[in-house]
Amino acid sequence: MTERFPRDRFDDVTDGPRVGAHRGARRRGRGWIAFAWGALATGVLVLVGVLVLALLNGSYSFPGSTSSPRPSASSSASAAPSETPSTPASEEPSAAEPSAQGTTSVVVLNGTTTTGLAARGSRALTAAGWKVTSTGDAGTTGATTSVVYYQQPEQQAVAQGVAKALGIATVEQSSAFPNADVSVVLGADYGG
């Protein structure tokens, strides 16, 4: 398709493919080049947006970085605990009383398919004088053994007291549940 332009003094020039006021013939496929650049720019922007959202949500971290993903209160009960070995509650004489809880937050999670297990555990703790921050389901439902996890070493006595009140033998230090200072994951062995 040739376009018609008003006749001017440059129309009589015959050397080269130029016609008129430096108007060249339109090359085929020019529209595809612009489309390809637009698609590439869109893809890059989408990729950057997904990575930014993943970093903000904590679901991705770069290898070697010091920040770790922050799972929610319904985190996986099978999350890898820290290097600290588990300690049976009966061996620790330093189990705190409910009055020593202070601002330490306690969360009770159901690690089984048994409906209402976390609520039963929460009621038992409340009846024993402990303040339970929240209850919920753990990320997995295959926990066979109940475990009380604590974040910091100074929270161990409170974790021991909570374990004693629930009749749980295993207390471990772990950063797998960062939304609470002490997290109770009830397994199939919990009788309530």
Side-chain angles (χ1 to χ4, degrees):
M1 175 173 133
T2 60
E3 297 180 18
R4 296 286 182 192
F5 299 102
R7 184 152 180 82
D8 59 16
R9 62 187 167 126
F10 297 102
D11 289 336
D12 295 331
V13 177
T14 58
D15 61 334
R18 296 181 181 217
V19 184
H22 300 287
R23 293 182 200 100
R26 294 179 64 106
R27 288 183 283 163
R28 293 177 56 108
R30 275 183 38 191
W32 287 106
I33 293 172
F35 176 77
W37 277 110
L40 178 65
T42 301
V44 168
L45 288 175
V46 166
L47 180 64
V48 168
V50 166
L51 284 176
V52 166
L53 287 175
L55 287 173
L56 289 176
N57 289 336
S59 61
Y60 182 81
S61 64
F62 291 105
S65 71
T66 57
S67 65
S68 63
R70 299 187 55 86
S72 67
S74 63
S75 294
S76 166
S78 64
S82 65
E83 302 80 39
T84 307
S86 63
T87 343
S90 59
E91 292 179 15
E92 293 293 329
S94 62
E97 295 298 316
S99 59
Q101 181 176 358
T103 60
T104 303
S105 60
V106 176
V107 172
V108 180
L109 302 173
N110 182 356
T112 69
T113 56
T114 305
T115 305
L117 191 62
R120 277 195 315 223
S122 176
R123 281 193 299 274
L125 281 177
T126 303
W130 295 97
K131 291 177 277 196
V132 176
T133 306
S134 67
T135 61
D137 291 331
T140 61
T141 57
T144 56
T145 307
S146 299
V147 180
V148 177
Y149 296 101
Y150 61 96
Q151 293 268 346
Q152 305 298 326
E154 57 270 10
Q155 298 160 344
Q156 182 178 8
V158 172
Q160 292 288 346
V162 167
K164 183 178 175 184
L166 291 174
I168 296 174
T170 308
V171 176
E172 295 181 12
Q173 183 177 3
S174 174
S175 59
F177 303 95
N179 293 338
D181 300 322
V182 175
S183 299
V184 180
V185 178
L186 298 174
D189 64 340
Y190 180 69

